[in-house]
Amino acid sequence: MFTGYSSLLLLLVSQGLAYTWPDTKVDHLEALLYQQQQYHGSLVGSDVRFCFLTTFDLDKLRAISGRLTAAEWIRVAYHDMATADVEAGTGGLDASISFETDRGENEGPAFNSTMKQLYLSHSAKSSMADLIAMSAVLAVGSCSDGKVWLDYRGGRIDATEAGPLGVPEPHQGLDKHTEIFRKQGFNQEEMIGLVACGHSVGGVHGSIFPKIVPVVDEPGNEASLHPFDSTAVTFDNHVAVEFTQNSTQNALAFGHNKTTRSDHRIFTADGGNLISRMAQDNDFYLATCKNLLERMIDTVPKNVELSGVIEPIATKPDYINIVVNEDGTLFVSGEIRTIQDKAIDRGSRQVVVHLKAADKKISAATTRNGESLPFHENRPSFDWWGFNATIPIAQGLSFDVEIIDDGDSKLETNGGKGFPLQTDIIPQTSKSCSSTTVKGPSTINVTAAVGVSYPSHQIRAVTDLIKILDEANFDSVILSVDIPHAQQNSLVPRIEPTPVDMKKTRVLEGTGYSLYSGSLDFGAAFQGLLSYDVIGRRALGHSISEFNSFDSLRRCS
């Protein structure tokens, strides 16, 4: 019923037919989601690696007992989505929650805490809305020990202001709750299921809701948690089982305050039919939750187009760097990520990169650099293979990846076209630098090699080559820096591209390339992932070297 390792590999086969590298809408989010720890680990899910009742408070810089990060992440995702009006096509999961944390319907530290935990992964290619959706995937995956993995799509756009009120509150009646969920796109049965799924882990905090549950004074429960069920750190159907058996400790079902027994009103809205079915069959419960929670995180404004489901990519290049040498060659380095397969002997596996430069083919052996591991079962592990080679400058550079296991060879060709190397605009990282400070200014200086390579026999002279490459191909070359801007009443910055003209500084004689440089000083207190693009503009269409990380640059002196 749920994705295991064997069926995962089958999914990869079909998924690989549709995916072509690079895909900037998918690649970064895929890495954040699946490279969970160790080599090149994103660590986005590190706060929910263990589903237990302690949260590290970034404000107090210490662990707080009686809080469950995974439950908070699920709660934040729902509260963010709750502004949706599906008929109007507005609201939904759009990170507007960052502007709404002072509302009575969003009581407690979970909201700002979640933003701070996800903040380090915020970037131009990973919106806070996408990260909130991802956090729900990781939270459910953690507390189910990998049994439930929500299908994840990317492409959400962050709101720039608060959405309307709309989160259901415990004191409201059934009619009000039914109408709120209807507006969000869920009928009565789906409302029952979504609440039962959302309340599988965690509970009600006396420190936040003293009118619903009493405040306790326990060293191991600083947040005064009253769990929804006896398995508060496991995503399972016990919230339904214990409700139907009248053995529940869920204060929203049988608490002393009758006004706030919202779970009881919701669970019995259909005469107790669905909650009984969920109680009788844990597999049915988990399958129902997977469907409803996926719909929850995919509820977005009508102007947002989500990607397809992001599956782990079987063979994926990354960290590609190209240096234009003055002797007319290119030094290419990078890494190839391959998915591990339990059926093969990884110790004897070989990976070879076959580079194609015009009529020349150059093979580069690789060295295994490390592995990325998941936090939980039923998720893939990856090996990383480093390579480098010096190749002649030519048009249409690409490479294939050969994977050899026990003498059997498989050639990965990226859908038959090879893995392309961009050669018209190449950031020269060794000639570039950046520096960032918590309190500005921050600086970036970028030098890029600009030109389109042609076979040497087509060019009569070096001067003709340079004229063709520079003046004729691009009207201008732009450095575009993705700069975070603070927003009033929100912990989440707005990331906007800021363009700067790059100037030609030098002709690399005999190569067909010229160097262009640009710099920008900006003040930004940002701990997320800073990035820049280099764009060649021309009437026939632009060319772009996209989403280059500040982290790949040396520090400016």
Side-chain angles (χ1 to χ4, degrees), residues 224-299:
S224 190
L225 178 71
H226 295 256
F228 288 125
D229 63 33
S230 60
T231 58
V233 296
T234 304
F235 194 89
D236 60 19
N237 69 339
H238 274 65
V239 67
V241 171
E242 292 169 19
F243 177 82
T244 57
Q245 293 178 348
N246 291 324
S247 62
T248 185
Q249 51 191 322
N250 181 356
L252 297 182
F254 294 109
H256 72 277
N257 188 337
K258 294 182 180 180
T259 304
T260 56
R261 292 180 182 174
S262 55
D263 279 11
H264 189 282
R265 292 189 288 272
I266 290 172
F267 291 165
T268 58
D270 66 346
N273 178 52
L274 180 62
I275 200 70
S276 296
R277 293 170 63 201
M278 297 177 93
Q280 292 164 7
D281 187 342
N282 189 52
D283 284 343
F284 171 77
Y285 173 87
L286 296 179
T288 300
C289 291
K290 175 176 164 60
N291 173 265
L292 291 173
L293 292 172
E294 286 173 353
R295 284 182 51 195
M296 179 186 81
I297 63 175
D298 286 350
T299 300

Side-chain angles (χ1 to χ4, degrees), residues 390-406:
T390 299
I391 62 176
I393 292 174
Q395 272 187 299
L397 295 178
S398 66
F399 62 88
D400 295 330
V401 177
E402 183 181 12
I403 302 175
I404 305 169
D405 293 311
D406 296 326

